[in-house]
Amino acid sequence: MGNHRNALVATVRQELAEARGAARAVLAAAESARGEAQNRRRLVRDAYATCLNQLADARDSARRDIEHRYQLETARLAGNVRHLAALSASGAAGLPWRMWSPTEPEPGTRPGLLRIGTFGLDDAVALPGLVPLLDAAHLELSGPQATVDGMITGLLLRALGSTRPGEVRLTVYDPEHLGGTLASFAPLGISFVGPGGLGGMLDGLVEHICRVNETVLAGEYVSLADLSAATTTRTGPRAEPWQVVVLLADRATAGELTAAQRAQLDRIVRTGVACGVHLIVRGLELAEHPTVRRLAVRDQTATCDLTGDLEIRLDPPPPADQVAAFCRATAERLRAGPPPARMSDLEPPKFWSESSAHGLIAPIGDGTDGGGGLVEVPLGDDPPHALIGGPSGSGKTNLLYAWVAALATRYSPEELALYLLDFKEGVSFARFMPGPRDSSWLPQVRLAGLNVNGDREFGLAMLRHLSEELRTRAQAAKRHDAAKLSELRAEDPAGHWPRIVAVIDEFQVLLAGRDAVADEAVTLLEDLARRGRSQGIHLILASQDVSGIEALWGRSGLIGQFTLRIALPKARRILADENLAAAVIPRHHAVVNAESGAPGANLIVRLPDAGDRTAWRGLQRRLWRARPAGCEQPRIFDGDAVPRLPSSCRPSGPVPPLDAPVGSSPGAVLGERIDVAARPARLRLGRMPGRNLAVLGTRVEEACDVLAAAALSLAAQGPAHFSVVCLDPDAGRAAARLVAELPSADWFSDPAEVPILDRPHYVLGYALDNCKDPAALRRLLTEGPEERTHVLGWWRSVARLRDSLGGPGARLDAIGAWVALDVQGADLAPLHPQPGGPVWYPRHRRGLFFDRSVHRTPEVIIPYEVNSDHA
């Protein structure tokens, strides 16, 4: 029993021990789990705190970044808006009143917006509040009357101050104050409409709109937008002024508006903007239309349907004295009339943007027909040529400058070629040429003749060149020559010939007299005038002499081609006899008539001052710097300049020995031919009888230059021997200089000492009429050429030459060529193939050259300057 109890106790104890062990193990595990849970909770709390800190830092950083970007973006957008506002409302349209002054728009710009106040975004700098008006909108204003009236005054002042005088016409309907609200604008001649005049005013505006619409339907403009653009992009005053109508309606007006008046008002709202009619309305509600802008005014703020809920802080009204001063100054300018165009106004927005394929058109000044605007002068198939006339001092040269400037800025050298000829005593066209102070030139100029009043032959040479150009173009067009067309396209990417404009100032000099030069010039002019239009060649003839114009009237085939007439003040015979417009126009004006001067076709033009050298130099340098590759310097012929012997006509080294191979017949250069190419006049010296040269005249320097040029040019061509015979002390220095340049030359004091060689041998004889042994000289002249010995001699007169050849009955066959200096034409009869001698009147530094083996008639040459520039 006791054992059983002991066993049971032991078992119970055992089980209790095991239970306590299990409990202690569970407790230990629970304690461990609780520790781990507490540790995890601590870690989570720490992590949460760290996350909160990090999120707070990230939030603060993001907020700071957002605020910084917001400030930058706001500043950038505000700057862009401010810049755009400055462009949209420049000058008087957008300046604050303390800085305000009237500003005229730049040529070609359209009207912009008008400032009424400012509005701000947060702490940003205030931005200008702008509203549209001219060419854009009608304005409907509502709110306190005094504030609205001040706002209208500011709008009108800005609109008038940012346009040219006369471009905005004001009409004010103010029945309550009888026009007193805007009385400060009265000096501008605005129209005030009183009570009862609203219906008539609305009818007049509708009639104006209908007239503009009829202009559109007549085909003058394609659309109302084109008309608006045409009247706002021209560089002079608008052809159609803007009409701004201010309706300051009272309660009676608003209540008594009839259905017909409302219909007319609605019609103006719909069609007025496109026709330059704009309404500024207070006290009336305008019909819904995209061109209507509504502004609601409250105290000194306003909201606009363009800006939504943004409030605009209105500018105060402009000071009354500022408005009055502006209106007085503008009224004085209106009374004085618009100023003439500037030369810069004739320039297009972009240089060389026009094509001459179908003609040339360029402005020469602004019109005086009330609408103003530049007057453009055409040259093409009709009219093809122009005739300009006006007495001395009437501005003919200034007109030519303006026309050339307008053409040169519109048409590139591939589209236009200018040939300029000035027969009066002066250098009108010298400014287009390179000079010692300015190396630039007008790229379109191909040829210019200056001081050619004594050299009609150069005018004839230019006409011959143009006639040859006409023939070339006509043949290429007729045959469709592929090679010519290919060459043309290579020179001109546009695929057509450049148009040629030939300007001949004082052209009557070329046609003066009854000689071969005048006869041929008339023939060439008639041919160019008749056929030139079809090949892009146009003539501009100008004269200040009535006799010059009358020189054309007897040639109906010529004068009939000049349908474009431009008459300067007091010009006669340019226009039709019954057209007296030129007699009444003031200075700096011209009459442009494209119908041969018929009355009713006159356009009166104010000419700009195109003579300013500084302005011309700046324009020309811009064009010169833009010239295309390969644009060659123009050929210049100056009648007062003496050409120098070209370096190619001088020996570059010792003259080859006589035993060197001899080529073809050498040519002695005597002077420069008066032609377009500036070629030298040459005398071929072959083994034929009479191949000798006689220089005739008493001008020692010129005679010595002719002989020196001949000798030096012969020495430059091959083996030759030279003998110098000088029989006049006045020519001794020139002869000695020639010998110094030709060291192998022999010096003789008597022609009898000169041998006849069987190799090229040239005898330079100075004052051979002093020869004491004429027989020896005759032997050289008659026998020498066939043995290659040629005499190039100087005689003071034809009579002395005849004496050298045997006396009064002697034949002059030994002289195959001659150059006459100061010898009258009648005295040259013995040497001339035609009886009576050539028509020749001696001129300074000019010679008459005749080679009987080449010439049918003598030609005028310019002796080179030789003895003054070689050692």
Side-chain angles (χ1 to χ4, degrees):
M1 185 70 181
N3 290 335
H4 176 74
R5 186 172 35 226
N6 291 335
L8 181 58
V9 169
T11 302
V12 171
R13 287 178 176 173
Q14 179 65 33
E15 291 178 354
L16 288 173
E18 291 177 358
R20 285 195 302 270
R24 284 194 293 269
V26 170
L27 178 61
E31 291 291 341
S32 176
R34 186 184 66 173
E36 291 179 358
Q38 290 176 342
N39 187 43
R40 284 198 301 271
R41 184 181 65 176
R42 186 172 57 255
L43 292 176
V44 169
R45 285 181 176 177
D46 293 343
Y48 173 70
T50 302
C51 286
L52 287 179
N53 293 333
Q54 290 176 346
L55 288 174
D57 293 341
R59 180 194 60 194
D60 294 341
S61 177
R63 182 185 294 115
R64 288 193 299 270
D65 182 62
I66 291 171
E67 290 176 350
H68 180 66
R69 285 191 289 111
Y70 171 77
Q71 293 173 354
L72 291 178
E73 190 69 13
T74 302
R76 185 182 66 81
L77 291 176
N80 291 343
V81 171
R82 195 173 295 106
H83 177 68
L84 182 60
L87 294 177
S88 302
S90 60
L95 288 173
W97 296 125
R98 68 178 185 280
M99 304 167 57
W100 190 89
S101 63
T103 55
E104 287 194 5
E106 290 295 323
T109 58
R110 296 178 64 87
L113 305 177
L114 304 177
R115 168 174 166 153
I116 60 172
T118 59
F119 62 89
L121 298 175
D122 296 336
D123 296 331
V125 179
L127 300 174
L130 309 176
V131 294
L133 182 62
L134 299 180
D135 276 346
H138 305 291
L139 298 180
E140 178 191 311
L141 295 85
S142 61
Q145 181 173 325
T147 305
V148 170
D149 290 347
M151 184 177 171
I152 292 175
T153 301
L155 280 169
L156 294 179
L157 185 60
R158 291 191 185 279
L160 292 166
S162 58
T163 55
R164 295 179 179 85
E167 287 188 342
V168 176
R169 186 177 301 163
L170 284 181
T171 302
V172 177
Y173 174 71
D174 186 11
E176 186 174 0
H177 295 92
L178 301 179
T181 304
L182 299 174
S184 55
F185 293 97
L188 299 180
I190 64 178
S191 300
F192 288 105
V193 179
L198 179 60
M201 181 191 71
L202 295 177
D203 292 340
L205 292 175
V206 171
E207 289 178 3
H208 171 77
I209 293 172
C210 291
R211 179 177 60 80
V212 174
N213 285 329
E214 288 173 0
T215 303
V216 174
L217 294 175
E220 186 174 349
Y221 300 100
V222 176
S223 66
L224 292 175
D226 291 342
L227 174 62
S228 177
T231 56
T232 55
T233 58
R234 57 201 314 159
T235 58
R238 285 172 50 86
E240 287 287 343
W242 287 291
Q243 295 202 30
V244 177
V245 181
V246 182
L247 300 181
L248 303 177
D250 55 6
R251 294 183 178 180
T253 301
E256 297 173 1
L257 198 65
T258 66
Q261 292 173 345
R262 169 56 69 179
Q264 295 289 65
L265 183 61
D266 292 346
R267 188 173 182 181
I268 296 171
V269 168
R270 293 193 306 271
T271 60
V273 169
C275 297
V277 177
H278 302 274
L279 302 175
I280 300 179
V281 177
R282 185 207 71 194
L284 281 178
E285 185 176 349
L286 298 180
E288 290 291 335
H289 193 268
T291 60
V292 175
R293 297 299 173 207
R294 292 179 168 82
L295 290 92
V297 179
R298 294 185 300 275
D299 296 331
Q300 294 302 315
T301 63
T303 57
C304 178
D305 54 2
L306 286 174
T307 57
D309 295 333
L310 287 176
E311 286 192 346
I312 301 173
R313 293 190 296 273
L314 296 177
D315 288 336
D321 57 345
Q322 192 174 34
V323 179
F326 166 78
C327 292
R328 286 195 302 269
T330 304
E332 291 176 1
R333 291 187 60 184
L334 285 172
R335 285 193 295 269
R342 300 167 298 177
M343 193 176 78
S344 59
D345 294 337
L346 305 182
E347 300 177 10
K350 182 180 179 182
F351 284 175
W352 298 351
S353 58
E354 302 292 333
S355 170
S356 65
H358 302 291
L360 301 167
I361 185 167
I364 61 172
D366 56 354
T368 60
D369 57 357
L374 292 179
V375 175
E376 295 182 327
V377 179
L379 280 177
D381 289 342
D382 186 25
H385 313 291
L387 185 62
I388 301 173
S392 178
S394 60
K396 176 170 55 65
T397 301
N398 182 68
L399 166 63
L400 292 176
Y401 287 162
W403 201 352
V404 168
L407 288 171
T409 52
R410 280 162 175 76
Y411 300 97
S412 69
E414 290 87 356
E415 301 286 342
L416 172 65
L418 294 174
Y419 289 75
L420 309 174
L421 203 58
D422 185 4
F423 275 106
K424 68 176 180 291
E425 295 182 3
V427 287
S428 298
F429 298 139
R431 62 176 55 193
F432 306 137
M433 304 294 108
R437 295 183 178 180
D438 187 0
S439 60
S440 67
W441 68 85
L442 202 61
Q444 290 85 350
V445 176
R446 305 291 176 85
L447 177 143
L450 315 175
N451 296 308
V452 293
N453 51 300
D455 292 300
R456 297 163 63 225
E457 296 82 4
F458 185 76
L460 188 60
M462 189 187 81
L463 293 180
R464 289 170 179 166
H465 175 78
L466 294 178
S467 182
E468 182 62 30
E469 179 71 17
L470 173 63
R471 189 178 301 110
T472 300
R473 294 186 177 193
Q475 290 175 352
K478 183 177 180 180
R479 297 180 312 199
H480 298 284
D481 191 320
K484 288 285 185 183
L485 293 178
S486 175
E487 178 183 350
L488 168 65
R489 291 190 175 95
E491 296 177 356
D492 177 20
H496 60 266
W497 300 101
R499 287 191 180 262
I500 292 176
V501 175
V503 182
I504 306 179
D505 197 4
E506 300 303 330
F507 69 94
Q508 74 277 0
V509 175
L510 183 60
L511 307 181
R514 298 182 177 275
D515 55 9
V517 173
D519 293 342
E520 186 178 355
V522 169
T523 301
L524 292 173
L525 277 175
E526 288 181 347
D527 184 56
L528 288 168
R530 187 179 67 258
R531 299 194 299 136
R533 70 169 74 191
S534 62
Q535 303 300 332
I537 298 178
H538 309 281
L539 302 174
I540 299 177
L541 304 185
S543 176
Q544 65 181 17
D545 191 353
V546 175
S547 62
I549 304 301
E550 291 178 343
L552 296 179
W553 287 106
R555 300 177 171 97
S556 57
L558 183 57
I559 189 66
Q561 302 296 329
F562 289 81
T563 55
L564 176 59
R565 311 285 177 83
I566 302 179
L568 294 158
K570 304 301 184 292
R572 292 185 291 168
R573 303 304 302 274
I574 289 289
L575 307 175
D577 292 340
E578 63 273 18
N579 191 344
L580 305 179
V584 298
I585 59 174
R587 290 189 63 192
H588 312 301
H589 287 64
V591 181
V592 178
N593 188 303
E595 296 184 11
S596 300
N602 295 334
L603 288 174
I604 309 301
V605 184
R606 275 184 296 264
L607 301 174
D609 180 10
D612 182 36
R613 287 188 174 273
T614 302
W616 248 113
R617 188 176 295 114
L619 173 63
Q620 182 166 294
R621 288 197 67 84
R622 282 190 290 161
L623 295 174
W624 180 70
R625 285 192 293 265
R627 69 191 187 279
C631 183
E632 297 182 357
Q633 183 172 317
R635 155 78 164 121
I636 306 173
F637 177 85
D638 187 349
D640 288 348
V642 180
R644 298 205 170 187
L645 182 67
S647 58
S648 60
C649 297
R650 291 181 177 275
S652 57
V655 180
L658 289 177
D659 56 358
V662 180
S664 59
S665 298
V669 171
L670 307 179
E672 183 176 282
R673 300 178 65 184
I674 301 182
D675 63 8
V676 171
R679 296 170 296 174
R682 294 181 180 271
L683 170 64
R684 292 293 175 186
L685 298 174
R687 301 183 65 171
M688 296 174 291
R691 303 315 293 161
N692 301 302
L693 172 70
V695 181
L696 305 169
T698 60
R699 296 201 289 252
V700 179
E701 181 181 352
E702 293 180 26
C704 293
D705 278 343
V706 172
L707 295 181
L712 293 173
S713 61
L714 290 168
Q717 297 176 57
H721 184 70
F722 295 90
S723 298
V724 177
V725 179
C726 184
L727 305 179
D728 185 355
D730 292 340
R733 186 173 182 180
R737 284 180 174 178
L738 179 61
V739 172
E741 194 156 351
L742 302 173
S744 61
D746 295 329
W747 182 281
F748 296 99
S749 57
D750 190 342
E753 302 173 1
V754 178
I756 296 178
L757 306 177
D758 60 353
R759 302 294 288 170
H761 181 203
Y762 305 103
V763 180
L764 286 305
Y766 294 81
L768 291 180
D769 44 15
N770 287 341
C771 178
K772 298 179 180 179
D773 186 0
L777 178 58
R778 287 195 295 272
R779 182 179 66 87
L780 282 174
L781 291 169
T782 56
E783 300 178 9
E786 294 186 60
E787 299 296 332
R788 297 184 178 177
T789 295
H790 307 274
V791 176
L792 291 80
W794 163 43
W795 286 264
R796 292 183 179 86
S797 67
V798 177
R800 291 193 175 192
L801 171 64
R802 185 183 288 275
D803 291 341
S804 297
L805 293 176
R811 295 177 60 86
L812 302 180
D813 296 342
I815 302 300
W818 47 267
V819 174
L821 300 174
D822 55 339
V823 180
Q824 296 295 329
D827 296 336
L828 295 169
L831 294 168
H832 193 259
Q834 300 297 327
V839 179
W840 168 245
Y841 304 98
R843 310 195 298 266
H844 174 67
R845 203 70 194 188
R846 297 295 184 270
L848 191 65
F849 171 44
F850 180 76
D851 182 355
R852 69 186 182 192
S853 67
V854 175
H855 293 143
R856 297 177 60 185
T857 58
E859 69 170 322
V860 180
I861 65 171
I862 307 174
Y864 287 116
E865 185 180 27
V866 181
N867 288 316
S868 63
D869 65 347
H870 78 280

